[in-house]
Amino acid sequence: MEHKYGADLNGKQFILLSIALCTGTLIEWYDFTIYSQLSSTITEVFFPPSNDAAQQLSYWAVFALGFVARPLGSILWVQSHQPLLRHSSSSSWTPSSSSSRSSSFTRDKMRTSSQR
């Protein structure tokens, strides 16, 4: 598949990437669902019992913070790792190529240290 961003993916890589993305999204929404279903329990245990309105507002403020934090965290992560992402996208990466590069690096490093 050709596209403007990232490395070119073959069919198997695209399917694995899609499954990974769907799994992450499913886990995220599962967390939000569980948190919202347990609202009465969470408000009683973690927020001040003096005022019901303050409990509910605190509960939904934490929910909104978690809902907003994930995309903002993604944006910050991408911005802070942009040079690394640009560098790594210039070559196609596979787990096998990564392990062969690291093992060749280790072999080369061992050769130079043993030649001293």
Side-chain angles (χ1 to χ4, degrees):
M1 268 183 194
E2 290 193 32
H3 45 80
K4 185 176 177 182
Y5 302 104
D8 292 334
L9 302 174
N10 62 28
K12 185 178 180 182
Q13 290 172 329
F14 181 77
I15 290 172
L16 288 174
L17 178 65
S18 299
I19 290 171
L21 290 172
C22 290
T23 303
T25 302
L26 180 70
I27 291 170
E28 174 193 5
W29 283 102
Y30 176 76
D31 288 344
F32 285 127
T33 302
I34 295 298
Y35 185 77
S36 63
Q37 295 296 318
L38 293 173
S39 65
S40 62
T41 305
I42 291 172
T43 55
E44 290 174 10
V45 173
F46 293 105
F47 299 111
S50 60
N51 187 350
D52 288 338
Q55 275 185 330
Q56 287 299 316
L57 287 173
S58 299
Y59 170 81
W60 289 109
V62 170
F63 184 84
L65 181 67
F67 203 76
V68 169
R70 184 174 186 261
L72 290 177
S74 298
I75 291 168
L76 291 173
W77 187 88
V78 168
Q79 292 301 320
S80 66
H81 289 80
Q82 194 67 26
L84 297 174
L85 294 173
R86 282 191 197 128
H87 176 70
S88 65
S89 66
S90 62
S91 64
S92 70
W93 179 85
T94 60
S96 61
S97 68
S98 172
S99 63
S100 66
R101 272 187 279 197
S102 64
S103 63
S104 67
F105 172 74
T106 306
R107 274 183 276 147
D108 293 341
K109 188 175 180 183
M110 289 172 64
R111 271 189 217 133
T112 56
S113 64
S114 66
Q115 291 172 353
R116 289 183 192 174

